[in-house]
Every structure is written in C-alpha cells, then in structure tokens.
Amino acid sequence: EIVMTQSPATLSVSPGERATLSCRASQSVSSNLAWYQQKPGQAPRLLIYGASTRATGIPARFSGSGSGTEFTLTISSLQSEDFAVYYCQQYNNWPPCTFGQGTKLEIK
Amino acid sequence: EVQLVESGGGLVKPGGSLRLSCAASGFTFSSYSMNWVRQAPGKGLEWVSSISSSSSYIYYADSVKGRFTISRDNAKNSLYLQMNSLRAEDTAVYYCARPLGSGTKRYFDYWGQGTLVTVSS
C-alpha cells in the first residue's frame, strides 16, 4: 500500500498571502494525484486531479504541481473561504487508493 | 445536477449490523463504478470499498474485508454497504463517492453529504 504523507499538519497564513502545501508518496504514483478541500461538516470537494488539472469550477488561484513522489498544492492569494483541511489522494495503485492525513490551513 | 444522498447510519452495538444506502441522481448511474469512503471523527479519509458498474469487480479495504459487503441496484440507482460484525473503530461518517478517471486510476469528483455510523455499547 502506498503511504501518502502531507506536510505541514497545520499551516497558518494571512489572507491575501500564498499557501504552499506538500504531499509525498512512499513510491512513485506518476501524475495520478488528486487534491481535495474539506470544510467542517462538509464532504470533501475535488480541487485538482492529474497532479495539476483544476476540476470544474475551481478558481485559478489553486494550482498543483509535481510528479512521481513529490507534489505541491499552491493557493496564490488566500481568500477567507480557503481556510479548510486539504487532502491529497493517490490513485495510481488501486486498490486501495490512499489519502494523506491532511493539512489544516488556518488563518494567521 | 449530480446528487448522492446517503442514509441508514445510526447507533449500533459492537458486533451488530447496519446497512447503508446511497441514492444517486443526475447522471447515468449504471455507467459508473461507485465507492464508499469513510472518515472517523476528527480523522482523515479512508477508502472502504469499490464496485464496478455491472458489479463484476468488487474491492475492499483490508480493514473491512470479510465483514462489509458492497452492492448496487442499477434499476433503483442505488448503492449499498452491508456492515456486519461492527467494531468501535468502524465509527465514522460514511460517504458515497463517484469516481472519475480511466481503468483503475480514479479520483472522486462527487461525494454525498455522508451518514454517521456510531458503534458503541
């Protein structure tokens, strides 16, 4: 099973600033990596798939990069609605697909 | 509009059983494989089970294999999860999720709102 490790566990950033979240896979997942956003009491929402392709309706301030074992989600200018928990998911080796433990993005 | 609506959660004693349902609408249900993903309170996401569009291929996480059974009824646009021999560690919100992608390489583009399963005496 591929283990996904996200860092940091919590990230404190001021509105308007840039946030950079990391995700590492225990072995190569090629570009088969997705990012999700989850707000309290809500289901996860797909942001990015294929490591760098934004899902439908996702603002351009969200961008993804990386391949193999190292991935990054960047939010270029944080809006109030962006403070949430973010998960990465590998879907290269299925079953099982596996998720990272999450990064909580909080207001500084 | 794609909608996934879970139901059937609740409080159950250890060793008990529960059957979750997911009603799908807004897309051709019979053309998609479907999945269950769970989230323990305050924890991350864990994939539970997957079923192909025609029920030919079924997969389970090791943590639930032999205790949970996934099934679907394409005529009713519904997905199910029969959960037996429940344990405290099965306590979680259970989400129905629609995968997108190709072959075995799939991510989840739509999720239901989830249904809470609590296993406690």
Side-chain angles (χ1 to χ4, degrees):
Chain A
E1 175 177 315
I2 296 177
V3 176
M4 307 301 292
T5 303
Q6 291 185 240
S7 61
T10 303
L11 182 61
S12 299
V13 183
S14 300
E17 294 190 339
R18 173 189 297 254
T20 303
L21 290 66
S22 296
C23 176
R24 174 178 292 179
S26 60
Q27 64 188 75
S28 176
V29 298
S30 186
S31 295
N32 296 305
L33 191 285
W35 289 95
Y36 301 86
Q37 176 194 67
Q38 187 179 34
K39 297 179 180 179
Q42 296 185 17
R45 173 195 181 195
L46 177 66
L47 298 175
I48 301 283
Y49 63 93
S52 61
T53 303
R54 279 189 304 276
T56 302
I58 301 303
R61 64 180 181 273
F62 291 90
S63 63
S65 64
S67 66
T69 62
E70 299 285 344
F71 301 88
T72 300
L73 174 69
T74 301
I75 310 170
S76 59
S77 178
L78 280 165
Q79 308 296 303
S80 57
E81 62 266 28
D82 300 334
F83 292 95
V85 179
Y86 292 83
Y87 294 96
C88 62
Q89 176 222 346
Q90 71 80 19
Y91 53 95
N92 189 62
N93 269 22
W94 181 317
C97 68
T98 48
F99 295 87
Q101 80 281 14
T103 290
K104 181 180 181 181
L105 181 57
E106 63 177 27
I107 300 175
K108 186 175 182 180
Chain B
E1 179 193 3
V2 171
Q3 283 200 320
L4 300 170
V5 180
E6 302 92 339
S7 60
L11 175 62
V12 61
K13 290 182 168 53
S17 298
L18 213 53
R19 189 195 196 206
L20 306 183
S21 299
C22 171
S25 61
F27 66 103
T28 305
F29 181 74
S30 59
S31 296
Y32 288 82
S33 63
M34 292 296 293
N35 287 251
W36 289 98
V37 178
R38 69 184 180 182
Q39 185 171 36
K43 302 297 184 182
L45 300 165
E46 179 189 17
W47 171 79
V48 173
S49 184
S50 173
I51 185 169
S52 64
S53 57
S54 61
S55 303
S56 298
Y57 299 96
I58 288 175
Y59 304 100
Y60 298 100
D62 287 345
S63 57
V64 307
K65 201 172 293 182
R67 301 186 298 122
F68 290 11
T69 302
I70 192 172
S71 63
R72 65 190 295 161
D73 185 335
N74 287 342
K76 296 182 177 179
N77 290 341
S78 292
L79 175 71
Y80 306 102
L81 186 67
Q82 176 68 42
M83 303 185 296
N84 298 331
S85 303
L86 282 162
R87 306 166 179 167
E89 55 264 35
D90 296 318
T91 295
V93 173
Y94 284 73
Y95 295 102
C96 167
R98 188 184 86 164
L100 204 59
S102 61
T104 58
K105 302 190 190 305
R106 298 174 186 267
Y107 48 92
F108 304 110
D109 66 339
Y110 283 98
W111 301 63
Q113 86 290 348
T115 187
L116 176 62
V117 172
T118 303
V119 184
S120 174
S121 55

